[in-house]
Amino acid sequence: MNAPPELEPLVRGVCAGSERDVARALSLVEDSRAAFAARAVELQRRLLAQTPADRGHRIGITGPPGVGKSSLCRALVGRLRRSGQSVALLAVDPSSPRSGGALLGDRARLTLDPGDPGVFVRSMASGGQLGGLARAAGAAVIVLAAAFDAVLIETTGVGQSETDVEHVADTVVLVVQPASGDVLQFIKAGIMEVPDLFLVNKADLGQVAEVAERELRTALLAGGEAAVTPVLRVSAETDVGLDELVLALQRHRARLEESGSLIAERRRKAVRWAERLLTLRYGEFLLERSGGADEARRRLELLLQQGAVPAEAVDQLARAAGLG
Amino acid sequence: MQRDRPWILRTYSGHSTPSASNALYRANLARGQTGLSVAFDLPTQTGYDADHPLARGEVGRTGVPVGHLGDMEVLFDGLDLATMNTSMTINATAPWLMALYVACAERQGAPPTTLRGTTQNDIIKEYLSRGTYMLPPGPSLRLTADLVLYAVEHVPDFNPINVCSYHLQEAGATPEQELAYALCTAITVLDTVRERGIGPARLSSVFGRLSFFVNAGIRFVEEVCKLRAFAELWDRLGLERYGVADPKLRRFRYGVQVNSLGLTEAQPENNISRIVLQMLGVTLSRNVRARAIQLPAWNEALGLPRPFDQQLSLRAQQILAHETDLLEYPDLLDGSPVVAERTRQIREAAWAEVERVLASGGMVAAVESGDVKERLVASNAARLARIESGEQIVVGVNHFTESEPSPLLADGGAGAILRIDPRAEEEQRESLVAWRRQRDADAAARALDAVREAARSAANLMPASIAAARAGVTTGEWAAALRDVFGEYRAPTGVGAQAPTPVGDEVSPLRREVATLAREIGRRPKLLVGKPGLDGHSNGAEQIALRARDAGFEVVYEGIRSTPEEIAAAAVQEGAHVVGLSILSGAHLELVAETLGALRQRGGESIPVVVGGIIPDADAAVLLSSGVARVYTPKHYQVDSILSGLVEVVRQAHA
């Protein structure tokens, strides 16, 4: 395994939804060795070329630790699967800043049928970025979206991951827990405009869940988002509200498609993800060398339009600036 | 001379089949044992029939399989239940095994009022350490209360619950934690019973029937003080919280199995001394002397003890009870200021923890949130760190390790443990199929419907369960009916929230090794920790998962009771570099073979597999030749060197 895998069979396997090939492709996009990284870029290019631009649904699930995202994702994977879609879950957990290690898993595979080829679960450590999305997450979504109809991206909701996940998902779902003060924190942090859907989990708690829902609606009203952003109460534990959740997700995707913005949004978000990768790898320094943030964005946009994948576009900018 | 009557002398035993276990019980009683302690196999404990896929390799392994009334009758054939005192270590399926016991006694002509003994029936610690739960905590507690209330009325001399702190100590609890969580569990059960609307008199008699099953470790002076603190707090709890006026009903009654955790694989003969000293902790103080004692065998860290090994432990009890003068004196420790002071410290610390748990919503909430589990995992990590650093001396393990070759372990110890005949599982499956064929199928189906109906209603489940036992319903069928109604449950693993263990500095050699490996293979090494089979003892897997993370591995751990197929799916999908399996039930040969097969089927045959568990040398050789990369047993107590081994294994696989 000291040479990167052959692309031809790998691409074919991923597009056919082969478990082993999808897993190998994900390991390839996580690989930091130069030869592998180059091959990973080529893999993404080919997968993008073979995946219809409007295929599938990428759903980001975020929210503070402990709100029950994992059991919710588990229930949602089951629901989406029963509706006939193949489903992949990418679960991102933070790495320990001291050791670089991470504890992953402890979640979604539990009640799923290991014999069902239409379900795939992969965990990923965020790497050096405490609370951010893993650097390879964007590439991983490209791999998974080529193989599965629905791709769920679960993040711990710490630090920048709520806003990061927006760049790789069509629909962002924010999960909050009743009586936790979460809502207030979101208002303070000014991220009420990011999610496309709010979930109050643990609806089985009754009245406190209703209170949390009301608080959310009030906050949304104040921000002028109330008309478009639905708020749902769910309980993964007692199976309440999951049908409504699936319906709301479908509705959001349909709205994107009808307004013609699904593909455009994906393109716009890919640029944002590239910008994020750029600052992660090279910091403000490269932005300055590239002629400022606006100029860097314009050039990334152009490269992406020409068919580059985000990681590749970032590398090209870096080379042009005499880095990397 | 006036001597006290000795405690009940038992040996925790059972294996293979009901008839093999019956022969063992008869032999043990003939050697002077005065009660029985039934060990059930994992399928029976978790509510699966011997022919269920999850039961593969586990039938008759850690105890006796009891699948139906016929098995129960064979198990107690020739043993008079009207005069026997039987302890059953059974929890999730306790109401069912009690139903079988009552129905079996009935067939012998023994009415329920004559029955004496214990069902453990303590579900809370199953979520925390032992892992043989089957339903969510709410419904489980309702089953617990059903059995308690039924027994208090119909089987008045039986202890229908034995709040068991034994496994908390095994999971790493300090004396204060063991005491605190045992009391919290008792409070949960008593509150649940009280909420059922019973009057004060009935509540008092429930309180009086509540007994405990504790652990006793090698620090026996502290253990005596723990038990004295226990008695004081129990008395106070009865008086203040439950208004139990009769002091006799507030007496702290307990049985004990002394600590197996401290028993070593290295120089295992030393365990005989440990067992005897641990026994002192629960016998020295007359006021808090154990009502029943069972001792583990010297070779438990090697595998299953043989009848001879059990006899050795029984003789140790008999020598203390009959040869020494211990039973001739009143309490030896009353009036000792040293004992009084240590007792006070433990009592106060334990009570503070009880109050903390109660204030934060009670024991069920603390279990569901993972709070208690996290504290136990942390205590256990600290204990292991003390042993690794040598601060806590374990003779023959981290000190005084020089040894003559042991004549007890000739031939690598192959003859020093009991081997389960692999045909026993097949035999049990066949007899189960035959049982299902000969019974009245309609009657069994009707009885199961009645169990389901009782489960959905507020009625006590016991009468319907006893009727089902009589109608020939099987253990798996009864449990499946309840799973239908209440759903399955997975407990928190407790590892997610753990802070890094303070072992080693930031740039420890191990961390450097892992970082180097990560550069070589292009990403951080990913370890999948799997617990296949029904064994719920997860302490080892949890500690490995935590320490591997702290060393810089990415660790995927999804808790207990995974099937080999689930583990293989996770290994492939996660892109794991190495799979570590932890199996303590003795089913390692079967489960490892199945996991390797499942990996091959998914194209994951290149992922190396290592195995940890109670694995005899001969079995280790079999595993290694079948393709397992490394085998770890209790003698590998240095976690860092295990992790170093994993680095090596990954590097070789990627060379």
Side-chain angles (χ1 to χ4, degrees):
Chain A
M1 274 160 270
N2 283 319
E6 286 305 314
L7 276 187
E8 200 46 50
L10 191 58
V11 169
R12 223 178 312 125
V14 170
C15 292
S18 145
E19 174 186 72
R20 185 159 162 266
D21 288 321
V22 172
R24 287 171 63 211
L26 292 172
S27 297
L28 178 62
V29 301
E30 282 189 285
D31 204 309
S32 59
R33 288 171 291 183
F36 288 70
R39 187 70 54 97
V41 162
E42 191 52 36
L43 170 75
Q44 293 176 64
R45 266 175 172 283
R46 295 216 205 165
L47 288 176
L48 279 179
Q50 301 217 359
T51 314
D54 61 349
R55 184 187 173 186
H57 194 184
R58 299 152 199 189
I59 303 162
I61 312 250
T62 186
V67 297
K69 288 187 299 296
S70 300
S71 23
L72 187 71
C73 283
R74 186 189 322 166
L76 188 56
V77 168
R79 274 304 152 103
L80 292 170
R81 183 72 192 112
R82 278 205 293 284
S83 76
Q85 306 182 63
S86 59
V87 192
L89 170 65
L90 179 69
V92 183
D93 277 316
S95 300
S96 149
R98 285 177 61 186
S99 67
L103 262 176
L104 311 165
D106 202 4
R107 49 170 122 219
R109 208 181 320 270
L110 305 178
T111 51
L112 304 173
D113 172 11
D116 179 358
V119 173
F120 189 100
V121 178
R122 175 86 165 209
S123 347
M124 197 174 254
S126 64
Q129 324 152 42
L130 184 66
L133 211 54
R135 190 176 291 177
V141 171
I142 292 175
V143 171
L144 292 170
F148 297 93
D149 300 327
V151 178
L152 301 186
I153 307 114
E154 180 195 345
T155 86
T156 42
V158 179
Q160 283 204 279
S161 62
E162 292 108 339
T163 43
D164 272 0
V165 75
E166 184 195 15
H167 306 322
V168 298
D170 303 318
T171 307
V172 174
V173 180
L174 181 68
V175 190
V176 300
Q177 180 169 337
S180 60
D182 289 346
V183 177
L184 201 65
Q185 290 304 321
F186 294 132
I187 299 168
K188 276 193 200 159
I191 59 152
M192 292 298 284
E193 67 274 16
V194 171
D196 303 296
L197 188 59
F198 286 93
L199 288 187
V200 178
N201 199 15
K202 308 188 183 175
D204 43 309
L205 294 180
Q207 208 182 353
V208 282
E210 287 167 37
V211 171
E213 184 186 342
R214 256 204 314 280
E215 282 175 3
L216 268 176
R217 287 192 193 284
T218 315
L220 286 168
L221 212 57
E225 308 272 341
V228 282
T229 317
V231 180
L232 295 178
R233 258 182 293 148
V234 296
S235 162
E237 210 63 46
T238 55
D239 218 25
V240 167
L242 286 167
D243 289 330
E244 291 81 353
L245 171 58
V246 170
L247 208 65
L249 289 170
Q250 284 168 350
R251 240 186 246 131
H252 183 255
R253 194 194 176 287
R255 217 171 34 242
L256 283 175
E257 196 161 349
E258 282 156 20
S259 66
S261 56
L262 180 69
I263 296 172
E265 277 291 289
R266 282 182 180 176
R267 291 213 177 107
R268 188 185 65 80
K269 288 175 171 187
V271 176
R272 294 300 152 111
W273 179 248
E275 286 179 65
R276 181 84 173 107
L277 281 183
L278 186 146
T279 40
L280 274 173
R281 290 192 66 170
Y282 302 101
E284 300 287 326
F285 182 64
L286 180 55
L287 282 184
E288 277 167 34
R289 290 283 285 266
S290 306
D294 290 343
E295 176 60 14
R297 172 176 301 176
R298 199 191 58 77
R299 287 167 63 187
L300 286 172
E301 249 165 22
L302 194 67
L303 286 165
L304 260 54
Q305 263 169 34
Q306 291 163 354
V309 300
E312 188 183 13
V314 171
D315 286 344
Q316 287 191 19
L317 239 66
R319 270 199 301 277
L323 298 169
Chain B
M1 191 179 359
Q2 181 69 34
R3 281 182 75 92
D4 286 329
R5 208 152 41 95
W7 52 89
I8 298 169
L9 291 82
R10 292 184 173 128
T11 312
Y12 183 54
S13 51
H15 66 84
S16 301
T17 60
S19 61
S21 302
N22 176 262
L24 181 65
Y25 295 168
R26 289 175 187 233
N28 285 347
L29 290 165
R31 291 187 186 120
Q33 192 173 293
T34 56
L36 291 176
S37 172
V38 182
F40 294 99
D41 71 357
L42 288 169
T44 306
Q45 292 185 48
T46 47
Y48 294 105
D49 279 335
D51 56 355
H52 190 281
L54 267 173
R56 264 176 310 183
E58 306 272 22
V59 177
R61 186 69 70 174
T62 63
V64 59
V66 174
H68 47 76
L69 182 55
D71 282 349
M72 204 61 148
E73 287 191 86
V74 172
L75 185 64
F76 292 111
D77 182 42
L79 306 173
D80 180 14
L81 295 187
T83 57
M84 186 55 62
N85 192 310
T86 308
S87 163
M88 294 188 269
T89 301
I90 196 74
N91 296 283
T93 52
W96 174 243
L97 272 300
M98 186 64 183
L100 288 173
Y101 193 76
V102 168
C104 176
E106 194 175 83
R107 301 270 287 238
Q108 284 190 1
T113 47
T114 62
L115 301 180
R116 281 176 311 132
T118 303
T119 44
Q120 194 161 83
N121 195 27
D122 169 10
I123 200 68
I124 295 210
K125 58 89 175 58
E126 298 296 332
Y127 299 115
L128 291 174
S129 66
R130 197 164 167 273
T132 68
Y133 49 81
M134 66 178 199
L135 304 175
S140 291
L141 275 171
R142 178 248 169 123
L143 262 60
T144 304
D146 279 356
L147 174 48
V148 170
L149 287 169
Y150 178 85
V152 167
E153 193 171 333
H154 301 279
V155 203
D157 289 336
F158 210 86
N159 298 311
I161 177 167
N162 208 220
V163 171
C164 178
S165 60
Y166 178 84
H167 300 89
L168 301 179
Q169 186 177 118
E170 295 270 301
T174 61
E176 292 82 2
Q177 285 175 326
E178 183 186 348
L179 177 42
Y181 299 141
L183 287 174
C184 287
T185 299
I187 289 170
T188 307
V189 172
L190 288 163
D191 286 359
T192 306
V193 168
R194 182 159 64 179
E195 278 157 25
R196 300 270 282 255
I198 61 169
R202 189 97 183 282
L203 185 65
S204 290
S205 55
V206 168
F207 192 93
R209 284 323 306 170
L210 218 144
S211 60
F212 291 84
F213 190 77
V214 307
N215 201 328
I218 193 73
R219 294 170 56 83
F220 69 91
V221 178
E222 190 174 68
E223 293 292 27
V224 177
C225 298
K226 174 186 84 185
L227 293 162
R228 290 173 74 94
F230 215 141
E232 290 172 23
L233 286 176
W234 184 240
D235 182 75
R236 187 165 112 195
L237 194 71
L239 194 63
E240 291 174 7
R241 190 177 174 105
Y242 299 102
V244 180
D246 182 353
K248 268 203 303 213
L249 294 178
R250 299 199 305 269
R251 220 178 270 161
F252 169 55
R253 300 177 309 127
Y254 72 96
V256 68
Q257 158 104 4
V258 306
N259 187 298
S260 293
L261 180 68
L263 302 188
T264 62
E265 184 186 359
Q267 303 180 22
E269 63 282 357
N270 297 341
N271 292 328
I272 296 173
S273 312
R274 293 195 176 96
I275 291 162
V276 171
L277 292 170
Q278 290 172 343
M279 180 166 49
L280 287 182
V282 293
T283 51
L284 267 187
S285 175
R286 184 179 187 273
N287 294 343
V288 291
R289 189 167 289 151
R291 302 291 172 118
I293 296 180
Q294 49 196 46
L295 299 182
W298 67 281
N299 54 352
E300 281 203 2
L302 307 178
L304 275 184
R306 302 159 297 181
F308 168 77
D309 308 313
Q310 298 198 329
Q311 176 190 313
L312 198 57
S313 291
L314 176 65
R315 294 291 183 249
Q317 288 202 53
Q318 289 166 330
I319 289 166
L320 181 66
H322 302 295
E323 285 189 25
T324 75
D325 55 354
L326 178 70
L327 297 184
E328 294 168 15
Y329 296 99
D331 198 289
L332 304 176
L333 303 176
D334 278 356
S336 155
V338 176
V339 168
E341 174 56 15
R342 185 74 189 105
T343 301
R344 184 192 62 79
Q345 289 167 353
I346 295 177
R347 187 186 63 221
E348 287 177 3
W351 190 248
E353 179 64 4
V354 169
E355 288 188 320
R356 189 192 68 80
V357 171
L358 293 182
S360 62
M363 192 62 172
V364 171
V367 167
E368 286 181 327
S369 71
D371 169 75
V372 174
K373 180 72 181 171
E374 283 158 22
R375 282 162 198 272
L376 291 176
V377 172
S379 295
N380 202 24
R383 184 185 69 84
L384 289 172
R386 282 195 304 273
I387 294 176
E388 279 185 77
S389 69
E391 181 192 335
Q392 183 172 330
I393 293 179
V394 185
V395 172
V397 173
N398 63 5
H399 275 71
F400 317 115
T401 49
E402 287 302 303
S403 176
E404 289 291 319
S406 167
L408 293 172
L409 298 176
D411 308 326
I417 51 166
L418 182 75
R419 319 270 338 177
I420 299 289
D421 184 349
R423 278 169 309 180
E425 177 160 335
E426 192 50 48
E427 217 175 278
Q428 187 62 19
R429 267 200 293 266
E430 281 164 13
S431 92
L432 178 73
V433 172
W435 173 267
R436 285 206 201 98
R437 205 175 300 129
Q438 59 78 41
R439 71 181 175 184
D440 177 345
D442 289 342
R446 275 197 306 278
L448 268 176
D449 285 341
V451 169
R452 260 185 226 103
E453 195 165 319
R456 283 194 198 99
S457 76
N460 192 309
L461 259 176
M462 285 307 295
S465 298
I466 294 170
R470 289 190 197 111
V473 164
T474 68
T475 300
E477 291 165 346
W478 178 85
L482 296 187
R483 286 185 161 103
D484 279 353
V485 175
F486 298 118
E488 290 261 16
Y489 183 73
R490 306 275 304 213
T493 61
V495 298
Q498 289 300 317
T501 31
V503 184
D505 53 34
E506 280 198 45
V507 281
S508 68
L510 179 61
R511 269 195 199 167
R512 265 203 303 272
E513 273 182 66
V514 173
T516 307
L517 176 68
R519 273 193 300 277
E520 286 166 23
I521 63 175
R523 57 190 175 110
R524 292 221 156 249
K526 203 170 192 180
L527 163 69
L528 174 75
V529 177
K531 273 200 73 63
L534 292 172
D535 162 41
H537 294 83
S538 53
N539 305 329
E542 288 153 7
Q543 293 303 324
I544 292 286
L546 281 181
R547 293 285 293 276
R549 177 200 63 179
D550 293 344
F553 280 83
E554 289 180 358
V555 182
V556 181
Y557 173 53
E558 293 177 334
I560 61 166
R561 254 187 257 174
S562 302
T563 63
E565 292 75 22
E566 284 167 344
I567 290 171
V572 172
Q573 293 180 10
E574 290 290 356
H577 292 104
V578 56
V579 175
L581 301 177
S582 161
I583 307 164
L584 282 88
S585 66
H588 41 262
L589 291 179
E590 291 83 353
L591 290 171
V592 170
E594 286 187 26
T595 306
L596 292 176
L599 273 172
R600 269 194 301 276
Q601 225 164 32
R602 298 190 103 94
E605 63 280 341
S606 63
I607 307 171
V609 174
V610 304
V611 181
I614 312 256
I615 298 169
D617 287 349
D619 289 3
V622 173
L623 292 176
L624 291 170
S625 70
S626 73
V628 167
R630 293 271 204 284
V631 174
Y632 296 104
T633 66
K635 68 172 170 279
H636 300 96
Y637 70 96
Q638 289 279 7
V639 180
D640 277 6
S641 82
I642 294 177
L643 296 175
S644 249
L646 295 186
V647 168
E648 210 37 53
V649 165
V650 173
R651 180 171 286 132
Q652 272 162 19
H654 287 256

